[in-house]
Amino acid sequence: GKYVYGDKGLFFLSANNKQQLHINEKTPELPTIVNSFSQNKSGRNTFIATPKGFYLMDRDNNVKLLANKECYSVFVDENNQVWLSAYDGVYTGNLADFTSGNIDSLRINDRVSIIPNSRIRTIKRNKDGSKFLLSDFEAYQIFSLEQTAIRYD
C-alpha cells in the first residue's frame, strides 16, 4: 500500500487501491492539512509536517506532537536522519533528538549558511547522497553538515 496526503488529510491506500483508510478519522489530533510526510527505513515511524506542527505516528496510528510550529517539509534519509523545514528554519537529527523536547537545538541554518527565513518547501535526496532544499526563491545543496550549503538562485 501507499500513503497519499493533502488538504483533506492523510490516507492509506491498499496495494490494489480498493480500500482506503482515512488516518485523520482514527487520529483526530492530527491536523487535516498535511504538507509532507516521510517514513524511516523500517516503516515503523512516520513523520508528518503540517501547518499546525510536526508529528510522529507509529504503526498503530498513535500520534505524538514533536514541535508546535508551522512545518513545510520532512524527509528521512538513508541513515534515518530526519530533515525538517519549518517557518523558522531547517532542523536535522535522529528520532531521539526530535523526541527529546529540545527541537531548537537541531536547527542548522547558521551551521550551513541557510538564510533564516528561506521557507524551505521541499527536501529531497540527490543521487550522490546530497540533500536539495528548495524554497520559493532559491535552492540549497548540502553535502555535509560540516560544510556551507551551496546556494542556487
Side-chain angles (χ1 to χ4, degrees):
K2 64 181 177 180
Y3 286 96
V4 293
Y5 62 93
D7 291 349
K8 303 225 185 292
L10 184 64
F11 295 84
F12 182 77
L13 302 178
S14 62
N16 60 8
N17 290 340
K18 296 264 191 251
Q19 290 185 309
Q20 112 180 351
L21 173 65
H22 189 203
I23 303 294
N24 296 72
E25 286 180 6
K26 294 191 174 291
T27 57
E29 63 273 30
L30 185 64
T32 304
I33 297 174
V34 173
N35 291 334
S36 175
F37 85 97
S38 188
Q39 290 183 306
N40 64 355
K41 281 194 275 191
S42 68
R44 195 166 67 227
N45 295 304
T46 301
F47 298 89
I48 305 166
T50 80
K52 295 185 176 177
F54 180 51
Y55 294 82
L56 171 65
M57 183 176 72
D58 66 18
R59 278 191 180 151
D60 297 322
N61 297 332
N62 297 310
V63 172
K64 178 181 180 185
L65 178 66
L66 298 180
N68 188 13
K69 55 178 75 200
E70 183 179 1
C71 297
Y72 305 119
S73 186
V74 62
F75 172 75
V76 180
D77 71 17
E78 63 280 1
N79 298 315
N80 277 331
Q81 284 291 110
V82 179
W83 295 73
L84 173 71
S85 67
Y87 77 95
D88 61 347
V90 177
Y91 302 83
T92 189
N94 61 34
L95 174 61
D97 295 330
F98 276 97
T99 56
S100 72
N102 189 13
I103 188 172
D104 290 330
S105 68
L106 306 176
R107 193 169 178 271
I108 64 167
N109 290 63
D110 295 338
R111 191 168 163 189
V112 296
S113 300
I114 295 175
I115 297 171
N117 57 355
S118 289
R119 304 271 169 126
I120 301 297
R121 304 288 184 186
T122 305
I123 304 170
K124 297 281 183 198
R125 181 185 182 276
N126 198 8
K127 288 179 184 175
D128 63 12
S130 65
K131 311 303 179 287
F132 272 114
L133 288 68
L134 310 172
S135 79
D136 294 336
F137 304 106
E138 67 258 333
Y140 294 92
Q141 187 174 14
I142 297 177
F143 288 94
S144 162
L145 293 175
E146 308 310 316
Q147 297 175 320
T148 298
I150 299 170
R151 181 178 172 195
Y152 303 95
D153 291 325

